[in-house]
Amino acid sequence: MKSRDSLFMNLCQWVAVTALIPSLSACIETIDSDQVAETAIYQTYEVTYIEGTQQLKASASFNVGGVWGTSVRLRQPSQILFNDSPLTEKTFIGTTYEGTWSTPYSSGPHRWTWIDRDGLSHLNQISITPAQIANPPSSMSRTGSLTLTISGPPLTQQDSLSAWTLQSKDSSGSALYETLRAEIIDGQRLRISLRNPTELSTGAATLYLQRSRSASLQTIPAQKGTVTGGYRLAPIQIEITP
């Protein structure tokens, strides 16, 4: 299952290409939390530890009609806490709640506490499973694949892998972003390859990998949503070869 974060990343690529961010933002409806029943709200909770910057990033979003449905804006007494700290409201495409902390890695469990309009608390939590590349690669072929060995907890079918590259090759000076195909071979190995070999230039690039695990909500059965914990490995400098 792809997390909201990875789906949003792909959506942003499409939006950037078509220059439709203002139109897309306008078409996302928003409703206040005191106007909708708690059981109708789809909850999305995500936390990612970013090894390269030693930061913990958490988010929460609330929607009616599924993950991309009408956005819900929390109104007092409703609020959302992450590890007992309030998240900040952000309005970009709908309403989300986010927070970033500089901190050493901790597996958790990390928890979100949603206080609903009736003052009742709903707790959801997840742990973050780390990963390390045993022998970081120095190069990657545009037409081939790259097998990487993971140290740490074994990969399982619960894991979702994301991989992408950034290259400073655009004539405007901006970075070029390219998603990669990432597949689990076994408990200690994964394979990555290019989805669109012709879209990636040869030369220097930065490779990013993220390991994520998602779970269902731990609240009452009538509520729906997902909880995702991710670990983004430190970026790897590689050379893209023909």
Side-chain angles (χ1 to χ4, degrees):
M1 178 187 296
K2 286 189 175 182
S3 70
R4 179 187 174 96
D5 184 60
S6 62
L7 288 171
F8 181 71
M9 188 177 295
N10 291 337
L11 177 63
C12 282
Q13 277 191 285
W14 177 80
V15 169
V17 171
T18 56
L20 288 177
I21 287 180
S23 299
L24 184 60
S25 298
C27 74
I28 300 294
E29 297 182 358
T30 300
I31 189 172
D32 288 341
S33 59
D34 56 6
Q35 300 178 29
V36 60
E38 282 73 20
T39 53
I41 296 177
Y42 188 96
Q43 304 162 55
T44 304
Y45 302 113
E46 296 188 359
V47 59
T48 302
Y49 185 75
I50 304 173
E51 181 185 349
T53 57
Q54 294 191 332
Q55 289 180 308
L56 186 70
K57 290 194 173 187
S59 67
S61 59
F62 305 89
N63 300 80
V64 177
V67 65
W68 294 112
T70 300
S71 180
V72 177
R73 179 174 49 231
L74 300 183
R75 287 292 177 256
Q76 290 292 338
S78 187
Q79 61 176 309
I80 181 67
L81 305 175
F82 176 76
N83 290 344
D84 299 326
S85 296
L87 296 175
T88 302
E89 180 179 305
K90 302 286 185 179
T91 53
F92 175 49
I93 300 178
T95 300
T96 61
Y97 296 84
E98 302 174 5
T100 301
W101 297 264
S102 296
T103 180
Y105 165 73
S106 171
S107 63
H110 300 282
R111 62 193 183 280
W112 294 260
T113 305
W114 172 36
I115 301 173
D116 67 24
R117 63 179 181 177
D118 297 320
L120 300 176
S121 295
H122 307 267
L123 177 66
N124 286 280
Q125 61 186 17
I126 199 165
S127 297
I128 295 176
T129 305
Q132 300 291 333
I133 301 297
N135 295 294
S138 59
S139 63
M140 177 180 177
S141 169
R142 285 199 308 176
T143 56
S145 62
L146 186 63
T147 299
L148 303 176
T149 300
I150 292 288
S151 61
L155 296 167
T156 72
Q157 294 304 311
Q158 293 179 294
D159 287 302
S160 173
L161 301 177
S162 302
W164 64 96
T165 57
L166 286 179
Q167 284 184 306
S168 299
K169 292 291 187 180
D170 195 299
S171 58
S172 66
S174 60
L176 296 177
Y177 168 90
E178 185 68 27
T179 59
L180 307 179
R181 182 179 294 106
E183 305 168 286
I184 296 174
I185 300 175
D186 55 35
Q188 299 298 333
R189 295 182 301 159
L190 63 94
R191 180 187 299 111
I192 59 174
S193 58
L194 301 184
R195 296 181 184 274
N196 303 297
T198 58
E199 297 296 322
L200 193 63
S201 302
T202 57
T206 304
L207 172 64
Y208 294 87
L209 294 168
Q210 181 167 317
R211 173 186 198 169
S212 302
R213 288 185 178 181
S214 296
S216 300
L217 298 185
Q218 295 111 44
T219 50
I220 59 175
Q223 296 181 354
K224 300 185 183 300
T226 58
V227 186
T228 302
Y231 188 94
R232 187 176 304 171
L233 285 67
I236 303 170
Q237 304 302 318
I238 61 171
E239 188 77 11
I240 303 297
T241 61

